[in-house]
Amino acid sequence: MISTALIALVSSERVAISLPTEPYDIIGNGIGKQLSSISGGFTTCFLASLTANSQTFIVQVDTGSSDTVLPATGLNNYIGSTIAYNPNTMGTSSVTDTYGDGSYWSGYQTQYTVTVTGTNISAAVPIALMTSQSTNVVFADGSYSNGLLGLGFPILSAITIGSRTVVDGYLSQNVISKNQVGIYGCPYSQIQNAWMDIGNTAPYSSCSNIVATINMPYKSYYNINIQGIQIGGVAVSLPSTFQSSTTYNYGGYYWSFMDTCNSAINLPSTVVNSLISAIKSSGGLPISITYSAYYNAWLTGQVRMAVSLSSFQWALLPNISIIVNTGDSTQSAATFVLGPQQYIQADENGYVGIMITAGYDQYAVLGLPFFSAYYVLVDRNSGQLQVSLGCSCLYSTSNYPKIITSNGVGTPSKNSSSATKTKSYTTQTASVASANSTLMSNSNSSGIFTANWTNSSNGIHSSVVFRLVSSDRISITIPDSNVEAVSAGIAKQISTMGGGYKTCYLASLTAQSKTFNVQVDTGSSDTVLPASILNNYTGPSLTYSSSMGTTSLADHYADTSYWSGYQVSMVIGVTGTSLSTTANVALMTQQSTNPIFADGSNSNGLVGLGFPILAAIQSSPQTIMDAFYASGQISQKQVAIHGCPYSQVSQAYIDIGNTSPYQSCSNVSATITMPYKSYYTVDVRAVYVGGNLVSLPSSFQSFTTNQYGGRYWSFMDSCNSDISLPQSVLYALQTAVQNSGGLPLQITTSGYLTQWLNSEVRISVSSNSFIWSALPTLAFNVSTGGLNPTIVQFVLGPQQYIQADSSGYCKLLLTLDGFIVSSSPDYYVVLGLPFFSAFHVVADLNAGQLAVSIGCACSYSTDGNPKIVTSNTSAGAPITNVQSAGASSYKDTGSSDTALPGHAINNFSGPTIPLNITDTSEKIFNVYADGSSWTGGAILLDIALDNIDNYTSAPVGLITSQSTNPTFIDGHSYTTTG
């Protein structure tokens, strides 16, 4: 077993990586009296539900263990259901177990009544009550698993009392009549169909009559004797140590085995290398994988990628055959053939990974990809395994998997439905320069990286997303709970939202009597819904006819994804509210094979809350907000977004019209006049890490002709899953976090610290193991804008920028800004979901103002953060870097002084005014929010603007001294302000 501080798809030989995010409460009504449904899969052991002491325990179903272990009251590093240990009635016989990574548990063995939830299987059976465990918990932290159900043989059991195992206990009391267990596992996309049958009370009939009967060489694990392995029909040499004799293993050999708690198939490295070579030369992988910088990492199972399953050429990829000695005179050997769609699958977030990885050279482990394809029935008395086609009968779209025996070949019947469903993909709205087949950017906004490149040989531009990556405007994945946004409504115009952490927030719209779950995007302005003819989409849709309009619309993104359709006018309602009006929407009739925001399983469309200038729709009203306002449905063109972290997302809502103004737990709020009405733009003046000012890059919020408003303004975005920062700021924060002493050892010693700090991976670690008070804060100084701008500071604590996802994996929610693809993506800050989950944001789309107050953090914050700090400090001029051939002055509507350099000024090279301070009558100075300052004196001078001959006498500040970080005078880029 490895530590439960687990990374991405790395799996051990017996411990799950995470609980699936659906469902936490395992449905246990059973298919038959003794059948219990199981969940899990792909990145976790299969999970079942046990009931003891009138409490429910979600336990890992482990064929590689034999003990059933449940938590005792007072167990350390655990929060969840427990059983009180009473030494007087339960005995004092101690029991313990230790694993290869140093983790362990200890407790007491006792007989206790345990029920398989949802069945009539119930009896007093031997269990271990765990009273102590290592800080890196083995299988019980309470958030995703409460214990263990071991289905191995008694020889593996640490428990020594009674029948030693739960299954043997049920058998000895005639609760089950057969000492058999059937496991019907499924891929994650079909996990609702998975079940186990303790006692084999309802024998399974496969879609094929071919069954392989295997006599286990030894009854400990579910041992098998593998004779050979083939890749694409070609035999691969097995290492000389494979299944060799040993005195250290049960049965005297390193037998291979099947294991429900192994998330991959582990094979000797020589076999895996042969498979990788065959995959690489097959031509079956999409170019978004083969051209990526993470190609080899993907092939070795280190990362998963967000890439459409339809982009694989499955017929070209090799199969893998595992030839097993059955030990049966009627079937000398059985060959199990897995196709590429069995060993390449999408996880619960739609990220595709390879599920065959290198293990030990001494044996192979057939883990979840095997159990998701085959039905495995173990006869614990005879030591036999009976293997037939399983859940693959439901999901396979090819002739794989297969079973080949001397009695024939078993294959699944082809099915028209896809084996797995992918989630939505990252898109970016910036243009991308070419780069001769080289990786252009690894900028990211949530997870591993977004890579963009152009192949110089064919001109094809590509983009691929790694793990939990999001862009500056589109969500990555819908959360696995709250798929349908609940819309009971808090007030007439308020609709609750799902989403959060790694997705846009989600709301529900109604059109043509159908309901659509749509992404709530402040970085878009169009409302886009699917037409019935839309490709790569399964879900509710709208009928389009030319009578509805023939004005075509389209939008394209940097990763070459796109959509096109028609502008139509139809009645749109916000589910659960009284809002309903005729609005112009984009009816999407075509999209790229990597859907942008509509694949039907996660999201059905988009509702844009940005300004009309961003809209592809050109007819008035251009946006749904304009439509509601014009029709009198709302009296104010305002929208309030009350976002929350994933753990509190049930409290999140959107208030279109701001009909029910929010009362914060703090009376401090900030009103910001947006510098430009496109995105929800803000003018960030300074960023502090742990109270220390971080220098912003020269390109930050600089002038440009390629951006709305003439600058790369920072902005707030409800569809950005992270806060995106300039490189210098991110590095300063990473360094401060790493040096703080506040991170748990499971992160700092995991070998993945750098990847975690770069937001490339999430790690399963208890939030209680962080020393939050030691970690730095992150603060943004923002100009309030308007005629008399001041500075307001938004302070986020570590519990805002480090959060756990739906599976309990903690992640640093900060990444490099990546909207501009260049070697130095340092143009602005994007305040994404961590900001919205902390603050309540009201956008006044008429006035172009943002009102920000403490939001959902009122209900979850424990450390005094986040904060809003207001002051009367003048904001001064925006940060600027005007490139000029000679000296020039900068026109600043945010300042009132005109200031020019005196001849003795420091840190300046350029033209000066040849006067001394003694010529002036009044000393003056100014200080700015970033600590820069200047001093001098007031003087009357005749001045005029360039190319205008009309001179006039005016008061001017003659600067004689300035800070070492010049505010607006360095003599190179610009000279003065006024």
Side-chain angles (χ1 to χ4, degrees), residues 125-212:
V125 290
I127 67 169
L129 269 185
M130 182 166 47
T131 57
S132 177
Q133 62 180 340
S134 52
T135 53
N136 52 326
V137 295
V138 187
F139 43 73
D141 71 350
S143 64
Y144 64 90
S145 174
N146 308 121
L148 187 73
L149 172 61
L151 298 179
F153 290 88
I155 196 172
L156 297 179
S157 182
I159 295 172
T160 58
I161 62 173
S163 55
R164 302 186 70 180
T165 76
V166 162
V167 175
D168 288 305
Y170 289 141
L171 181 71
S172 66
Q173 298 174 70
N174 297 317
V175 176
I176 57 176
S177 60
K178 291 179 283 188
N179 193 8
Q180 298 177 357
V181 177
I183 299 173
Y184 186 88
C186 288
Y188 197 91
S189 60
Q190 299 286 332
I191 193 62
Q192 72 276 6
N193 297 309
W195 47 268
M196 70 174 178
D197 183 354
I198 296 178
N200 192 23
T201 60
Y204 166 70
S205 295
S206 174
C207 53
S208 167
N209 60 359
I210 300 299
V211 178

